[in-house]
Amino acid sequence: MAAPRPPPARLSGIMVPAPIQDLEALRALTALFKEQRNRETAPRTIFQRVLDILKKSSHAVELACRDPSQGEHLASSLQLITECFRCLRNACVECPGNQNAIRNLDTVAVAVDLILLFRELRVEQEALLTAFRCGLQFLGNIASRNEDSQAVVWAHAFPELFLSCLNHPDKKIVSYSSMILFTSLNSERMKELEESLNIAIDVVEARRKQPESEWPFLIITDHFLKSPELVKAMYAKMSNQERVTLLDVMIAKMAGEEPLSKDDVPAFLSHAELIAGTFVEQCKTVLNLASEQHDDEEALATIRLLDVLCEMTANTDLLGHLQGYPGLLERGIELLRLIHAAGNDGTNIFSSSGCVRAEGDVANVAEGFKSHLIRLIGNMCYRNKDNQDKVGELDGIPLILDSCSLDDSNPFLTQWAVYAIRNLTEDNSQNQDLIAKMEEQGLADTSLLKKMGFEVEKRGDKLVLRATGDGPPS
């Protein structure tokens, strides 16, 4: 039976159970700190009392780590630890004074050490998970909008806490530790992170496994993507699944409601170099999808590289840089030709088909790959005479027209083909003449050109390709 307690004392305007020795008193204090006025008037001595309880209760955890048989006796200690963390967590909300007072007691070091011990416990208890989560919430709150606290949390938590928590099977623990990482990161600490790539990759993996969690996404968009060196190092070390996740976030950043800022552009120019270079080097791996035995994950990573290039070349700040990237346009045309030939050679993933496949089927993605190749070629030729001429020299125009006519079941392919032909012929009489002559020789389908919004008109002895003003059906 618990020893009787003296009645609550009124200190600095708030009711505080004194002395704070047990769970009931902690719970009362936690409830008091839900109100801002109570947080702001809390005497600093309270936090020392809470810390004393936390330290005393942590001894049971240390003992259980050394002797697993002691784990069954942890329940009461875990309850006290949980309520200590809840109390401290609440006290820190929008209250810099409390954040500073709690931090100056070295409470952060005690909390981090205790959380690291939690990973060593060999007990399956909901109480343990609750204490674990509350401890992380406390660290997140004490660091929120407080640079001094962020520095202390980082000093104690990096790298061990993040290595322990970002890959934890509990989703909330992953989310809360991601929150702490996001809150604590700055440009200087990013340099440290570049030397701990496993943490960065764990963030990407957390995003892959928990797409509904905002913190991993924000870490990648607001921190990782600002560091081309980190992204390049990560990409070389990640699995193909993780690469797809990172590239998806990159697409989301570029295609979001807010355009890339002027500060974002230099980093994304570097990303463009990485993406274009990787695509030029590895893009032929997608051809393996035509075989019976193929690596879907490797092909999907290649396909996503193309998706990123399409978004990048749709951005005016990045387009000019990529239009001149060595080998990118040539490789796009070469790959389109190879895919087109593979589709004509037999029934495979690149063959024309009117059937509707299940959502998520890699065949759906492969069909989009051809459309996006044509989109990329069209983007690369936008108001760029050198690239327009290069496509003509490489016989890319007949290839684009033929790809469209043989895969009429894909309306997006037709739309991107129209876009590409318009960009290839804009202010380029040589390419216009080429298409007009193809039509005259029966090499270009008149009905197809009409559906694409073009027609060939004879003016004297000359054939002229002109837009009819009737765009392709949407």
Side-chain angles (χ1 to χ4, degrees):
M1 182 173 177
R5 298 188 304 276
R10 183 177 294 274
L11 296 175
S12 299
I14 68 172
M15 295 295 293
V16 180
I20 300 177
Q21 294 177 334
D22 56 20
L23 190 61
E24 183 180 343
L26 281 169
R27 284 174 174 165
L29 195 55
T30 298
L32 285 171
F33 285 148
K34 289 181 179 180
E35 296 185 19
Q36 182 69 23
R37 63 182 180 87
N38 290 338
R39 294 195 292 270
E40 292 176 348
T41 57
R44 302 299 180 249
T45 54
I46 289 180
F47 303 127
Q48 181 63 62
R49 296 177 189 176
V50 175
L51 179 59
D52 290 342
I53 295 175
L54 187 63
K55 287 180 176 179
K56 183 177 180 180
S57 302
S58 68
H59 294 324
V61 177
E62 294 174 5
L63 181 61
C65 287
R66 291 195 298 267
D67 182 3
S69 65
Q70 299 296 317
E72 59 190 52
H73 305 300
L74 274 179
S76 60
S77 295
L78 286 175
Q79 280 187 315
L80 283 169
I81 290 169
T82 298
E83 211 56 51
C84 284
F85 280 144
R86 282 178 176 151
C87 175
L88 296 170
R89 174 198 68 191
N90 288 4
C92 289
V93 176
E94 297 181 357
C95 193
N98 288 353
Q99 288 175 319
N100 296 338
I102 294 169
R103 181 190 69 242
N104 292 337
L105 291 172
D106 206 25
T107 311
V108 170
V110 175
V112 171
D113 289 345
L114 191 50
I115 289 169
L116 291 174
L117 287 176
F118 288 159
R119 279 308 304 257
E120 297 180 24
L121 286 176
R122 297 292 181 263
V123 291
E124 295 293 335
Q125 294 183 31
E126 184 62 29
L128 174 61
L129 282 179
T130 302
F132 204 146
R133 295 166 186 164
C134 289
L136 292 173
Q137 287 177 322
F138 157 62
L139 292 178
N141 282 8
I142 198 172
S144 179
R145 301 178 183 179
N146 189 312
E147 292 185 3
D148 289 337
S149 291
Q150 290 165 13
V152 171
V153 169
W154 181 263
H156 289 287
F158 183 84
E160 286 82 8
L161 182 138
F162 300 116
L163 289 170
S164 295
C165 298
L166 287 171
N167 57 10
H168 196 281
D170 183 75
K171 288 186 175 183
K172 291 184 178 180
I173 287 174
V174 173
S175 180
Y176 298 153
S177 58
S178 298
M179 172 187 65
I180 296 168
L181 182 59
F182 175 80
T183 302
S184 302
L185 272 175
N186 59 22
S187 57
E188 288 299 315
R189 292 171 196 139
M190 280 292 295
K191 296 176 182 177
E192 294 183 61
L193 194 63
E194 290 172 15
E195 299 177 4
S196 298
L197 285 181
N198 286 341
I199 293 176
I201 293 173
D202 282 344
V203 171
V204 176
E205 182 66 6
R207 169 64 183 175
R208 186 182 74 83
K209 291 181 178 179
Q210 296 179 226
E212 72 283 358
S213 177
E214 66 174 336
W215 296 113
F217 179 83
L218 291 173
I219 292 170
I220 299 170
T221 57
D222 292 13
H223 292 292
F224 291 2
L225 293 183
K226 295 183 185 297
S227 173
E229 297 80 9
L230 175 65
V231 170
K232 184 176 181 180
M234 288 169 59
Y235 198 87
K237 194 174 179 181
M238 288 190 297
S239 69
N240 284 314
Q241 284 185 327
E242 290 161 348
R243 288 170 177 167
V244 169
T245 299
L246 177 63
L247 295 172
D248 280 339
V249 174
M250 197 176 288
I251 291 171
K253 174 71 172 178
M254 291 185 289
E257 294 181 1
E258 296 183 8
L260 294 182
S261 69
K262 290 182 179 180
D263 292 336
D264 291 327
V265 170
F268 270 80
L269 286 171
S270 295
H271 299 327
E273 291 272 343
L274 171 65
I275 301 303
T278 307
F279 182 78
V280 168
E281 180 181 340
Q282 301 179 2
C283 65
K284 288 186 179 180
T285 58
V286 79
L287 294 168
N288 295 332
L289 290 174
S291 64
E292 292 184 3
Q293 296 183 343
H294 51 76
D295 183 349
D296 284 357
E297 291 181 5
E298 183 180 25
L300 287 173
T302 302
I303 289 168
R304 198 63 86 247
L305 285 170
L306 177 61
D307 297 340
V308 175
L309 285 171
C310 286
E311 290 296 334
M312 286 182 162
T313 51
N315 184 293
T316 55
D317 291 316
L318 308 179
L319 173 61
H321 187 68
L322 285 169
Q323 283 179 320
Y325 189 87
L328 180 57
L329 181 59
E330 293 89 339
R331 187 52 57 91
I333 294 170
E334 179 189 10
L335 189 57
L336 179 60
R337 181 172 286 110
L338 292 171
I339 286 175
H340 191 53
N344 291 339
D345 284 345
T347 303
N348 58 56
I349 205 168
F350 299 115
S351 303
S352 302
S353 174
C355 66
V356 178
R357 297 180 176 89
E359 183 179 354
D361 191 325
V362 71
N364 270 338
V365 184
E367 284 183 353
F369 188 75
K370 183 186 282 189
S371 298
H372 280 196
L373 267 179
I374 294 175
R375 178 187 177 190
L376 176 63
I377 294 168
N379 286 351
M380 295 280 286
C381 294
Y382 178 71
R383 297 181 179 176
N384 188 300
K385 182 68 162 52
D386 290 341
N387 283 351
Q388 289 174 338
D389 292 343
K390 191 175 292 182
V391 174
E393 294 164 4
L394 294 172
D395 293 328
I397 292 174
L399 177 62
I400 291 171
L401 291 172
D402 199 28
S403 296
C404 183
S405 63
L406 287 179
D407 204 356
D408 194 47
S409 62
N410 189 339
F412 293 107
L413 182 57
T414 302
Q415 291 172 2
W416 287 121
V418 172
Y419 169 77
I421 294 298
R422 288 183 184 276
N423 283 352
L424 281 161
T425 57
E426 183 181 17
D427 297 327
N428 191 309
S429 58
Q430 187 174 345
N431 285 346
Q432 293 174 14
D433 292 344
L434 173 63
I435 295 176
K437 289 176 182 177
M438 286 178 61
E439 193 272 345
E440 183 186 35
Q441 297 168 7
L443 299 176
D445 187 342
T446 302
S447 62
L448 174 62
L449 288 175
K450 187 174 182 180
K451 184 163 63 169
M452 294 175 70
F454 297 100
E455 68 177 10
V456 175
E457 183 180 276
K458 192 166 186 178
R459 296 178 184 172
D461 295 332
K462 189 174 183 181
L463 295 171
V464 178
L465 179 74
R466 73 178 189 87
T468 63
D470 299 326
S474 58

